[in-house]
Amino acid sequence: MSSAAAFSYAPLLPTGPDQTEYRLVTDEGVDVVHGPGGRRFLTVEPAALTALTAEAMHDIAHFLRPAHLAQLRSIIDDPAASPNDRFVALDLLRNANIAAGGVLPMCQDTGTAIVMGKRGRHVLTDGADAEAISRGVYQAYTRLNLRYSQLAPLTMWDERNTGSNLPAQVDLYAEDPDGHPDAYKFLFMAKGGGSANKSYLYQETKALLNPTRMMQFLEEKLRLIGTSACPPYHLAIVIGGTSAEYALKTAKYASAKYLDALPTSGSMTAHGFRDLELEAEVLELTRNFGIGAQFGGRYFCHDVRVVRLPRHGASCPVAIAVSCSADRQAVAKITPSGVWLERLETDPARYLPDVTDETLDASDVVRVDLNRPMDEIRAELSKYPVKTRLSLTGPLVVARDIAHAKIAERLDAGEPMPQYLRDHAVYYAGPAKTPEGYASGSFGPTTAGRMDAYVAKFQAAGGSQVMLAKGNRSGQVTRSCQQHGGFYLGSIGGPAARLAQDCIKHVEVLEYAELGMEAVWKIEVEDFPAFIVVDDKGNDFFAEVTKPVLTVGRR
């Protein structure tokens, strides 16, 4: 073997200067004390960590970054965007405007709370930082109209909702942030199940590391993300990594724009870097998928981040992650001057264009009366092709994972299909808490694919003839709909606050009240937006746009 190289060190992810605009949360609970050798130490009380966390979780549930909102507006202004792209973007902007009122969160899945912190060597706390941060998560989720989604495992098979959205994921590091020993910096995230479930790890080899194979690989894998995580996405791809778990964590941070200031070229110190050229090429690749912002078009992604990491010669992990239309994250810092939080946009109305539904081809919307018998509803839907835009008015039954499992057990025991699933379309969803004076809390669709295994059995028993949710379905659902005369309608993923305020007029529990948000509900909706995705003739909109078409490699 050759002689060893000289020692050199660089952090794996060297980030540049912090360009964030912050706002002061409080100057209480922090102080500066002097220590030996003339050193200054920043003392941080637990209450300051709790207050910062509670404020951050509030803000990311209701506000978005200005850059994200500007990207939504640019879709509406882009003449190359499809009418469906523009319709989804406008609905998401309207949703942001409602959520900014601070009552209804932007998404009904208010997520797992994830907090990453870097504590400088001259920052002194009582040592129970994770507990103080978790208390802030608790305060936000129990006081605001957020949803509890965390399940405590009691046995290998039995679970129970914790009733507080705890535990949070808290990762703390001993590191001088940006070289400042007297600073404590944070990244706060709320990660819903939809986008979290679209985190992928592939164990590849050196054979992937050429332009043609890389683009073929990415086209195949990126199409698999589908729309159930609510595009347009902020897409992150990480090539390499000192371990599989490091690649995945890096992809999550990159999707949150946390690594935007990485270098744009590599060196022999083996640090990570962004490949701006590949980012542009992958973005253009996604523009040509035809998936668009959920129902056809160009805007599958807002943007792409590609990070190249060092790797072991025998391993080449590839990690993919997305941040969805509920782009919920904010950075924060505690310094001698106080407790600071990223300034998010509190007035998203300024991004709304002066357009009406008529300019978005509203004349082509098919209005469907859900008060009619199921056979009449299906006969009406059968007149139109997939991708047709609908406006639904009338009753819906709401049921998701646990309710489907319980109904399947009843069918297996020889009991009949509940009449409510025979008479009404079923909406896969679970609401957030209902604010006082509202018919409903934020109440957007959940991922349809989780219910795929039930469809054939339910439709054979006369239920689930019309289904409403987000995302693509498997081939078995298409075949079942063709056999039984059923339909799957896609709802826009993301605008849960707008649906609650404008479209959902009444909510009542039908069955399984003890399941909380997983209960079976009956709701009354008005002008509820949807699209035909799977019809009764065996057509599936997503079947075509998930087929690879790339024949050339990278330029």
Side-chain angles (χ1 to χ4, degrees):
M1 295 181 63
S2 61
S3 60
F7 174 79
S8 62
Y9 173 78
L12 275 176
L13 297 171
T15 54
D18 184 359
Q19 304 294 333
T20 306
E21 181 181 354
Y22 291 95
R23 66 177 181 88
L24 182 65
V25 175
T26 181
D27 57 6
E28 297 181 358
V30 296
D31 197 6
V32 174
V33 297
H34 296 280
R39 289 178 294 177
R40 295 197 323 159
F41 291 87
L42 175 67
T43 63
V44 179
E45 297 295 329
L49 294 172
T50 297
L52 173 60
T53 302
E55 188 80 359
M57 300 314 296
H58 166 276
D59 280 14
I60 63 178
H62 292 282
F63 308 131
L64 291 158
R65 286 171 165 162
H68 176 86
L69 293 163
Q71 287 175 309
L72 286 173
R73 173 59 189 267
S74 70
I75 295 174
I76 298 172
D77 294 337
D78 183 0
S82 72
N84 286 342
D85 280 339
R86 292 194 292 272
F87 176 68
V88 170
L90 179 59
D91 220 35
L92 292 173
L93 281 175
R94 288 171 171 166
N95 186 71
N97 195 52
I98 293 168
V103 178
L104 293 167
M106 68 183 73
C107 180
Q108 81 287 343
D109 184 349
T110 48
T112 298
I114 300 173
V115 184
M116 187 271 285
K118 296 180 178 180
R119 190 174 84 176
R121 67 186 186 276
H122 289 174
V123 176
L124 303 178
T125 70
D126 69 353
D129 297 17
E131 181 178 350
I133 290 167
S134 295
R135 186 177 295 278
V137 172
Y138 174 86
Q139 289 181 1
Y141 277 82
T142 55
R143 296 174 181 176
L144 302 173
N145 297 310
L146 309 184
R147 196 175 85 184
Y148 308 144
S149 299
Q150 305 308 306
L151 302 178
L154 304 181
T155 70
M156 181 59 73
W157 322 119
D158 299 318
E159 301 173 308
R160 185 175 302 167
N161 195 299
T162 62
S164 64
N165 215 55
L166 292 178
Q169 177 182 319
V170 182
D171 299 321
L172 301 177
Y173 299 89
E175 177 181 331
D176 288 352
D178 302 326
H180 297 292
D182 58 349
Y184 205 159
K185 299 194 76 171
F186 301 89
L187 170 65
F188 292 95
M189 305 177 71
K191 201 70 174 172
S195 61
N197 293 345
K198 295 303 179 181
S199 298
Y200 293 108
L201 174 70
Y202 301 97
Q203 294 286 15
E204 296 300 312
T205 69
K206 166 69 175 173
L208 184 67
L209 299 180
N210 68 79
T212 298
R213 178 65 190 121
M214 179 65 75
M215 293 301 282
Q216 292 170 341
F217 171 86
L218 290 175
E219 180 182 27
E220 175 189 350
K221 303 307 182 185
L222 296 179
R223 286 178 181 272
L224 297 177
I225 296 173
T227 61
S228 58
C230 307
Y233 298 126
H234 301 283
L235 171 67
I237 302 164
V238 173
I239 312 297
T242 50
S243 65
E245 60 270 25
Y246 193 84
L248 280 167
K249 183 174 289 190
T250 301
K252 179 176 288 186
Y253 293 158
S255 72
K257 307 297 183 70
Y258 186 73
L259 302 177
D260 275 10
L262 282 177
T264 55
S265 61
S267 76
M268 284 305 295
T269 58
H271 57 75
F273 65 89
R274 284 179 60 188
D275 186 327
L276 302 184
E277 181 184 355
L278 187 53
E279 289 178 1
E281 292 178 13
V282 174
L283 181 60
E284 186 59 28
L285 176 70
T286 66
R287 294 278 194 259
N288 295 321
F289 283 174
I291 299 173
Q294 306 189 28
F295 302 103
R298 288 170 46 82
Y299 282 94
F300 185 63
C301 294
H302 284 302
D303 47 44
V304 177
R305 297 293 181 267
V306 177
V307 177
R308 181 68 158 90
L309 292 178
R311 68 183 185 92
H312 184 285
S315 301
C316 186
V318 178
I320 297 173
V322 297
S323 184
C324 66
S325 57
D327 188 41
R328 294 173 293 193
Q329 57 264 324
V331 295
K333 62 181 180 180
I334 302 178
T335 69
S337 61
V339 178
W340 301 85
L341 180 61
E342 180 177 357
R343 186 182 299 278
L344 302 179
E345 180 57 72
T346 58
D347 183 24
R350 65 193 184 94
Y351 293 91
L352 280 167
D354 294 326
V355 299
T356 65
D357 284 346
E358 283 68 31
T359 65
L360 295 172
D361 298 335
S363 60
D364 296 332
V365 176
V366 175
R367 304 194 178 279
V368 179
D369 181 3
L370 298 176
N371 291 290
R372 293 180 294 173
M374 179 55 63
D375 286 346
E376 291 185 19
I377 294 172
R378 289 193 291 164
E380 176 70 12
L381 294 174
S382 191
K383 299 175 184 178
Y384 303 100
V386 294
K387 234 168 80 168
T388 298
R389 185 173 147 203
L390 309 173
S391 176
L392 310 177
T393 297
L396 289 169
V397 167
V398 179
R400 46 180 279 160
D401 306 62
I402 298 178
H404 274 70
K406 287 184 173 292
I407 293 169
E409 290 173 359
R410 288 159 59 173
L411 295 178
D412 290 341
E415 298 180 31
M417 172 63 66
Q419 194 63 36
Y420 53 72
L421 280 182
R422 290 175 168 271
D423 293 342
H424 303 294
V426 58
Y427 179 38
Y428 302 158
K433 284 183 282 189
T434 301
E436 185 176 354
Y438 285 73
S440 161
S442 291
F443 210 154
T446 198
T447 302
R450 298 204 308 273
M451 269 56 75
D452 283 5
Y454 302 103
V455 173
K457 176 183 290 189
F458 281 28
Q459 289 189 336
S464 296
Q465 299 296 334
V466 177
M467 302 162 285
L468 176 66
K470 66 174 181 176
N472 46 303
R473 308 298 295 264
S474 63
Q476 64 181 322
V477 172
T478 303
R479 292 189 293 272
S480 182
C481 285
Q482 184 176 18
Q483 179 182 355
H484 299 289
F487 294 84
Y488 167 55
L489 312 180
S491 177
I492 301 172
R498 196 191 78 76
L499 294 176
Q501 176 176 286
D502 299 340
C503 301
I504 299 175
K505 303 303 180 182
H506 179 73
V507 176
E508 62 181 282
V509 176
L510 285 182
E511 195 170 15
Y512 304 124
E514 70 277 9
L515 298 180
M517 68 93 176
E518 291 265 9
V520 176
W521 309 77
K522 184 178 181 181
I523 65 175
E524 292 285 335
V525 302
E526 183 177 300
D527 292 329
F528 194 106
F531 295 77
I532 300 175
V533 176
V534 176
D535 67 13
D536 58 346
K537 305 170 188 67
N539 299 309
D540 176 3
F541 162 66
F542 287 109
E544 289 301 316
V545 297
T546 53
K547 294 178 181 177
V549 296
L550 187 70
T551 58
V552 297
R554 195 175 167 191
R555 295 187 298 274

